[in-house]
Amino acid sequence: MSRSGHRGEDETLIEMTLTDDISVLSDFRSPDSAGDESNGALKDNSSITDSELPGNSEGLSSTESTFLISNHQRIDKNEQSKDSVFFRDGIRRIDFILSYTEETGKEAEKKAERRKDYELNLQKSGLELETEDKKESENGKTYFIKIHAPWEVLTTYAEVLNIKMPIKADDLTEESGNLLKNVLKPFRLPHEVMYPEPDYFTAPFQKGKQELFRIEDREQFFTPSIRNRIVYYILSRCHYGDEEGKKKFGIKRLLSNGSYLDAFPLHDSQYCKKTDEKNCERYTLYTHWAKFTHFYKEQPLDLIRKYYGEKIGIYFAWLGFYTEMLFYAAVVGFFCFLYGCITMDDSISSKEICDPNIGGQIIMCPLCDKRCEFWRLNTTCEPSQYSHMFDNVATLFFAIFMGIWVTLFLEFWKRRQARLEYEWDLVDFEEEQQQLQLRPEYESKCTEKKKNPVTQEMEPYLPPSSKAVRFCFSGATVLFWIALIIASIIAIIVYRLWVYAAFASIMENNQTLAPVSNLLTPQLATSVTASVLNFITIMILNFLYERVAIWITDMEVPRTHLEYENRLTMKMFLFQFVNYYSSCFYVAFFKGKFVGYPADYTYLFGQWRNEECDPAGCLIELTTQLTIVMAGKQIWGNIQEAFVPWTWNWLKRRKARNHPENLYNRWEQDGDLQNFGSLGLFYEYLEMVVQFGFITLFVASFPLAPLLALLNNILEIRVDAWKLTTLFKRPVAAKAHSIGVWQEILNSIAILSVVTNAFIVAFTSDMIPRLVYYYAYTQDTDTPMSGYINSSLSVFNVADFKEQSMPTENDMNVVSCRYRDYRYPPGHEKEYKTTMQYWHILAAKMAFIIIMEHVVFLFKFFVAWLIPDVSSEVKARVKREKFLTQKILHEYELEMLKEKLCNKSQPLSNDKEFIATKGKVELSASM
């Protein structure tokens, strides 16, 4: 909690001017929670009444109002550090900044009137304002309004928002050092950076019981993040007049209609150097967290939470924990890949394909109609060798391991999250509280009202008929875009089918490509170009759909901020799931599975013949597809996250160089930074969850995927830290006790990954057919896998080709060719019918899927049962803190009652009250 200091002697403005029973700061209607006010942009009219606004009180006298209004004046420029975060008096801290420019015209007059009413009501709510004249700004056009929340406002709203603060009594002990800490010392940060505040027991703040709390310095008691959260709470609810017969309120609407240009809390210093402030937390975060040279260091999570709030802190805690767990998956995946590289020369299948006397003598049927020619099997020698690196026994082991790893990751994260809930005072913070807070957009668009069964108050609601129409339109829009993605995938498939013949004819007799002809086959060229084209299509569709998803979510008019985030999350993830993974699903589960055979090929739309897999299998193509899409997305994401905002800030800084440095103040420097936005964390989570899908859903095809993700995340943590500390305005602090709906999405991906990896091993890789041949069909006990390639290829009589499939050229005078399937040869009584080996392999595949799924699922459920979500230590500390808090409150009540009885001669009823209160304390102690 807050560091100890010395109590200040100066009284605040409100304490000097307002009486003890002033209604401005005491007659608040307490809301039910302290949720995050950060979603969406207010665009429509509001119908909220004065009584619904905590900060909209009419209790000031004319004298008091005049005094407060006179305090809001434009200050001439005095000598002051350009990095100062205080008012001109050097005492009152700037908690928030509003900026605007003066305009001319009828609309400008309306904006000025809105600002005047709004600022007057802010002052009536107890906030103190100070304006920097436009002459003092670097462009000579912008006014900056500095806002300060005095002690009375902070204590009032701390109770309203149920903010937990440190209490005086606790029995916490320092953790003793151990050997592991000494071993990990090179990876640790200094103690004062990791733990910026002492650890205290906390309790919800109560304005009337301030003696219970560690208030040693009023200026330091509430951290800047708590202060800006309280101020933003007031800003978002303060009204500014009536328009069209409706009450208008909230800073979001004023920003959307252009009355103000910006609203943001200040950073406490420059990121690159310290100021005169005692605690330059931004500088500390940049020095110890955001620099890329500290990539191997732990994250200062407590300092991140203190500076940016719990919502951003929990994201970086999750990202750091995810990256730590990826290390173990990356090590195992690397050794599985290394095993494939070492045993590549021992693969009998690859040797037979490359052998001129075996693969060189096998003539394969054309891979496309008419334009493609017959080809020899040994032309795919090198791709078959590379395929073995990913398609071997280690693939099976790694698929099972990842099923176990993802379970351990999710279960241990729950424990880590529970510990953070306790350490960050979020144990009693419930999402249900946020459900009782209506979004301003919801209140403005809903004209009808009904009684809330919980609060028993009248509040706006959306009629079922209107809600049904909005949901139907929203659902139809989402389905249309998903259909658009499927259409784009079909277009890519058609491209693959059409371009393969072109690549085959170009590479057939091209001497220029002769040096790389063994490596760059028509199949590989088609796969790579199609993957790149698919990635470009994904990025374009993603860019367009993001805007559509926000638009249709706004149109649905969600009731609460939590509901808004959840709906947008589900829409975006559903789209991203189909957009990013559909091409991988096609290669893994559809390509080469519905080809038919040479006498009866299957055609897409009756025109394009379905693709066939390489004789070594489709796994190498799935690996190629996964690598290009996953790596491309990560590279593009980092460029988009860091380079674009850096470019905008650089352009703004160039404009500012024409002005004297002493005019470029702290609020102007921050004003030139980019807005983090209410959906800033949403995109960060979405990026990581999509990556999580890549490394779990298709990891059996690419054991190096966790290693690539690990390297990306090590960079991602520092990129996110760097852009937050250097490129973006300071976000408004917000609370969150978990990663929210993303936890359920991760659980769903984890369950689906077991199924997809089982199917990849069974149907995409050659693992099961090789095992069936090894145990049931081998003819050589000394080398059981010899003859496997010949066994997996069926014979076809060229004369049986249909006219549309017959190749136009047959220079080798081929009479019969081979194709990948298990069918009887020409002349057999079951000519071209599937053999018994085909059914044995199919049965083995299905048995493998069932066994693998059951084994992994049983282990998942066992581990989930074995590992409790909350450790026994955390449970004990939570109970201890609740007990101690209850005891302190009872003792406080007892002391107050004793003083009351001593000062006044109370009747017997008070003695009974005293005995009852004392009994409560004794009962609490016995617990």
Side-chain angles (χ1 to χ4, degrees), residues 786-803:
S786 62
Y788 167 72
I789 291 297
N790 186 63
S791 172
S792 65
L793 299 174
S794 300
V795 180
F796 180 75
N797 190 344
V798 174
D800 294 334
F801 269 122
K802 292 182 179 179
E803 183 178 354

Side-chain angles (χ1 to χ4, degrees), residues 44 64 153 196 199 220 258 288 301 319 333 361 411 455 506 517 634 645-646 655 666 770 782 800 807 917:
D44 296 303
E64 290 162 343
V153 173
D199 193 13
Q220 299 295 327
H288 295 281
L301 294 177
L319 180 58
Q361 300 302 315
E411 292 303 318
T455 62
I506 291 173
S517 59
Q634 293 179 347
W646 178 86
K655 292 180 181 179
R666 158 72 22 225
R770 285 200 296 264
D782 295 331
D800 294 334
T917 306

Side-chain angles (χ1 to χ4, degrees), residues 64 81 99 215 270 288 309 331 343 382 402 440 589 631 643 667 709 739 843 864 874 896 902:
E64 290 162 343
S81 169
S99 66
I215 309 176
Q270 294 188 41
H288 295 281
V331 170
T343 60
E382 292 191 21
M402 286 303 294
F589 305 123
F643 182 73
W667 42 90
I739 61 175
V874 171
M896 292 297 101
C902 291

Side-chain angles (χ1 to χ4, degrees), residues 643-668:
F643 182 73
V644 173
W646 178 86
T647 302
W648 283 111
N649 289 345
W650 179 77
L651 292 174
K652 288 184 178 180
R653 284 197 303 269
R654 283 187 63 85
K655 292 180 181 179
R657 287 177 184 173
N658 298 326
H659 300 270
E661 190 180 71
N662 61 351
L663 295 180
Y664 204 54
N665 292 304
R666 158 72 22 225
W667 42 90
E668 294 175 284

Side-chain angles (χ1 to χ4, degrees), residues 164 201-202 418-419 421-423 426-428 870-885:
K164 287 187 173 183
F201 281 160
T202 60
R419 188 172 189 87
E421 283 184 39
Y422 166 72
E423 292 177 351
L426 300 169
V427 173
D428 296 325
V870 184
S871 66
S872 57
E873 178 195 359
V874 171
K875 286 181 179 178
R877 296 186 72 174
V878 169
K879 290 179 180 178
R880 175 62 183 166
E881 182 170 345
K882 287 184 176 180
F883 163 75
L884 186 60
T885 303

Side-chain angles (χ1 to χ4, degrees), residues 700-755:
S701 67
F702 190 36
L704 291 180
L707 179 60
L708 291 182
L710 174 65
L711 297 176
N712 174 79
N713 287 7
I714 291 173
L715 180 65
E716 179 77 19
I717 290 174
R718 304 304 160 179
V719 168
D720 287 348
W722 174 73
K723 71 182 185 182
L724 262 178
T725 53
T726 65
L727 302 182
F728 287 95
K729 296 181 179 71
R730 185 175 185 171
V732 178
K735 276 186 174 290
H737 77 295
S738 69
I739 61 175
V741 71
W742 298 108
Q743 182 76 38
E744 299 304 319
I745 292 176
L746 292 174
N747 289 332
S748 301
I749 293 175
I751 293 173
L752 182 60
S753 68
V754 178
V755 180

Side-chain angles (χ1 to χ4, degrees), residues 751-801:
I751 293 173
L752 182 60
S753 68
V754 178
V755 180
T756 56
N757 283 300
F759 272 85
I760 287 173
V761 174
F763 287 97
T764 308
S765 81
D766 249 12
M767 178 70 60
I768 303 301
R770 285 200 296 264
L771 290 175
V772 170
Y773 180 83
Y774 182 90
Y775 288 106
Y777 290 91
T778 182
Q779 297 176 354
D780 188 344
T781 55
D782 295 331
T783 53
M785 289 306 297
S786 62
Y788 167 72
I789 291 297
N790 186 63
S791 172
S792 65
L793 299 174
S794 300
V795 180
F796 180 75
N797 190 344
V798 174
D800 294 334
F801 269 122

